[in-house]
Amino acid sequence: MATEVYTHEDFANHVTPPGHPERVARIEAVWKALDDIDGLDRRTAPVAERAEILRVHPEAYIAWIEAAIPTSDYVSLDADTHVSPGSLDAALRAAGGNVAAIDAVVAGTVSNAFVAARPPGHHAERQTAMGFCLFGNVSIAAKRALDHHGLTRVAIVDFDVHHGNGTQDLLWDEARTLYISSHQMPLYPGTGAPHETGAHDNIINAPLAPLTGGPEMRRLYERELLPALDDFRPELVLISAGFDAHADDPLANLNWLADDFAWLTERLCDAADAHADGRVVSTLEGGYDLNALGESVAAHVRVLRERAR
Ligand SMILES: [Zn+2]
């Protein structure tokens, strides 16, 4: 079976100021990497229905984002989060691509999917745009699986080098989810300490020291994080797939390589095979060195493709 890839040309219309790391060239590098992989089923990422976003963000926040969108140039929502005329459509399609991927995977038309989208989502809190993120894409996906499809155990594994403070905020009191994050500490945004465990022990934060390489990452996952994922017995595995833990990434200091992302993807597919009929939805978060991003996305999606059933 194929792996579905949800994307849209509008992801290149979310334009950030010159020199900003979360730039249009990122999605172009991802598209180029995906072009070299056979057996992908390309799908259009649709605009999310408002009701989907309202599961995690209040109406006033969505209205504030809409009102902030300029007719030209940029508007800054915080020190590093900016919007341009094309940003709203891109953000709505990033969320909508995730919803569509959930629908396809839960329906069983495919076992796994990758959402190649920007802006990313895991830093967006309930009422706060930050860290290049507007809407909590992976949390919107989880809520779709829970509230629309009636699943009861959805796991989110976030291997982006930054802590997903937004996902943690949006799912803090959601007992039907397990959020597992590995991330460099100290690093932006500063959250993600092990004692932040959620309202129902539904959050596991695993900080990594600067310079942590692939072997140490693999040991951490094998000893602590993958057993916790198995214990949860997820009916669906979601991945916040940031590739900025790569050694070449300019925004952080971990030393993972493309093979490490492939290894971790294999292990997450193992857990999905054991508990969830192989169901995996992965969504793009960070990754700011274009070559490392392309190579790592290719390694990740190749594994999804090989494991699709
Ligand atoms: Zn990141």
Side-chain angles (χ1 to χ4, degrees):
M1 237 208 273
T3 289
E4 285 189 352
V5 171
Y6 287 82
T7 194
H8 198 281
E9 61 191 13
D10 287 357
F11 295 138
N13 293 333
H14 166 55
V15 182
T16 50
H20 196 285
E22 205 295 284
R23 58 207 191 276
V24 171
R26 293 183 63 243
I27 196 70
E28 294 169 345
V30 168
W31 288 334
K32 188 163 176 289
L34 295 176
D35 277 345
D36 293 337
I37 303 175
D38 293 331
L40 301 181
D41 187 358
R42 305 297 183 106
R43 299 286 165 143
T44 295
V47 170
E49 300 285 342
R50 205 172 191 84
E52 304 297 335
I53 298 172
L54 284 170
R55 290 197 172 107
V56 298
H57 299 289
E59 171 64 31
Y61 175 74
I62 304 173
W64 176 73
I65 297 278
E66 288 171 334
I69 301 295
T71 53
S72 64
D73 299 323
Y74 320 96
V75 162
S76 300
L77 303 181
D78 86 342
D80 10 67
T81 311
H82 313 274
V83 288
S84 71
S87 298
L88 181 64
D89 189 71
L92 292 173
R93 289 187 186 279
N98 270 276
V99 170
I102 291 293
D103 289 352
V105 168
V106 172
T109 54
V110 289
S111 64
N112 65 42
F114 179 66
V115 186
R118 59 183 286 279
H122 74 152
H123 293 305
E125 297 186 344
R126 200 164 292 272
Q127 303 192 66
T128 308
M130 58 183 282
F132 321 155
C133 300
L134 302 183
F135 299 131
N137 301 325
V138 80
S139 300
I140 290 167
K143 290 287 194 181
R144 175 73 176 179
L146 297 166
D147 292 351
H148 181 79
H149 293 291
L151 272 59
T152 57
R153 292 186 309 279
V154 175
I156 300 108
V157 178
D158 183 337
F159 58 69
D160 188 282
V161 79
H162 302 96
H163 179 239
N165 61 293
T167 306
Q168 173 165 296
D169 179 51
L170 301 179
L171 300 178
W172 182 264
D173 58 1
E174 177 50 86
R176 297 171 295 176
T177 56
L178 175 67
Y179 176 56
I180 296 174
S181 176
S182 62
H183 45 270
Q184 181 182 324
M185 186 175 274
L187 190 67
Y188 181 91
T191 50
H195 65 79
E196 298 164 23
T197 56
H200 309 281
D201 284 333
N202 53 312
I203 293 173
I204 299 173
N205 283 308
L208 297 166
L211 306 181
T212 296
E216 300 100 302
M217 176 278 285
R218 295 182 192 205
R219 278 196 292 277
L220 169 73
Y221 271 88
E222 281 181 331
R223 285 179 189 167
E224 294 179 31
L225 304 183
L226 294 169
L229 181 59
D230 274 330
D231 286 347
F232 182 66
R233 296 181 296 113
E235 298 165 307
L236 171 66
V237 175
L238 307 186
I239 304 175
S240 258
F243 299 95
D244 39 11
H246 192 284
D248 293 343
D249 197 275
L251 297 196
N253 315 98
L254 297 192
N255 284 326
W256 304 10
L257 300 173
D259 278 354
D260 296 310
F261 293 107
W263 177 88
L264 183 49
T265 308
E266 292 274 14
R267 301 292 79 75
L268 299 180
C269 287
D270 290 344
D273 280 351
H275 307 287
D277 293 328
R279 298 190 291 199
V280 175
V281 173
S282 173
T283 188
L284 181 66
E285 300 284 0
Y288 303 97
D289 177 87
L290 297 182
N291 289 329
L293 174 62
E295 187 188 6
S296 303
V297 163
H300 175 65
V301 175
R302 276 208 175 86
V303 171
L304 293 179
R305 171 69 188 89
E306 286 161 9
R307 299 292 294 264
R309 56 181 183 147

